[in-house]
């Protein structure tokens, strides 16, 4: 059956130039794979029931983006089984809300310059990574996090810090992961900084797999 996805792109901090291309990519994936996409930057969207959505996607959001009521509804939605997908700067979001950090699994710390590097695919038994090579060469910002989420999440891919300059987490640098929150599914990818990512077939399949998994469509 078709399902719906809510893509949220509100920013109150840094705003990525890639957001319009990212939204267009998700719409294109939806049209090709049988799901509908609503895109908004209006926090009032979270003050209404979210039950119509198979997944909510925070797509390079930044800063404080939800009202108090929106926070309550999003938490209830995920606990009851709703899917949540965080892309790239979603890790720079809702820093004042402790639940959000728990939901996502980790919080952004810093990043080096945008540059080529390598992601090591640790788990290919997931729709977001099953198509990827063991070592995925990509160009991005290679986010560092305040602490590794390993142990509380299922790590799907990690950064090989020897493949780029300026990494700050060392040998244990998760980059893509999934987890459960209550009855809900959560997927996060730190990749997706530039518009070029959303034109890349491997990244598009990666994003599609994460969305469909979170929505329990695969």
């Amino acid at each position: 059956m078709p399902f719906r996805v809510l893509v949220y792109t509100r920013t109150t901090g840094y705003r990525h130039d890639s957001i319009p291309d990212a939204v267009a990519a998700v719409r294109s994936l939806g049209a090709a794979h049988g799901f509908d996409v609503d895109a908004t930057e209006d926090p009032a969207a979270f003050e209404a029931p979210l039950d119509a959505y198979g997944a909510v996607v925070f797509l390079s959001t930044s800063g404080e983006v939800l009202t108090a009521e929106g926070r309550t509804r999003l938490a209830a939605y995920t606990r009851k089984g709703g899917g949540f997908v965080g892309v790239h700067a979603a890790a720079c979001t809702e820093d004042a809300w402790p639940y959000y950090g728990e939901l996502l699994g980790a919080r952004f710390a810093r990043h080096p310059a945008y540059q080529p590097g390598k992601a090591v695919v640790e788990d290919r038994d997931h729709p977001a990574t099953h198509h990827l090579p063991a070592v995925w060469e990509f160009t991005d910002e290679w986010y560092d996090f305040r602490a590794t989420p390993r142990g509380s999440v299922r790590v799907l891919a990690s950064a090989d810090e020897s493949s780029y300059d300026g990494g700050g987490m060392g040998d244990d640098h998760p980059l893509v992961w999934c987890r459960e929150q209550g009855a809900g599914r959560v997927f996060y990818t730190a990749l997706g900084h530039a518009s070029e990512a959303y034109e890349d077939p491997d990244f598009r399949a990666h994003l599609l797999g994460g969305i469909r998994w979170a929505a329990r469509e695969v």
Side-chain angles (χ1 to χ4, degrees), residues 22-44:
V23 172
V26 178
R27 289 194 186 280
S28 173
L29 291 170
H33 296 277
F35 61 90
D36 298 321
V37 176
D38 294 333
T40 186
E41 300 206 354
D42 187 352

Side-chain angles (χ1 to χ4, degrees), residues 101-127:
E102 174 191 331
L103 175 73
L104 197 66
R107 291 190 183 275
F108 170 81
R110 57 175 293 279
H111 68 76
Y114 177 75
Q115 61 189 300
K118 296 178 181 179
V120 177
V121 179
E122 297 188 22
D123 184 344
R124 298 183 71 216
D125 189 24
H126 190 280

Side-chain angles (χ1 to χ4, degrees), residues 36-63:
D36 298 321
V37 176
D38 294 333
T40 186
E41 300 206 354
D42 187 352
F46 289 86
E47 296 176 351
L50 297 168
D51 298 345
Y53 296 106
V56 169
V57 181
F58 273 36
L59 185 50
S60 282
T61 49
S62 68

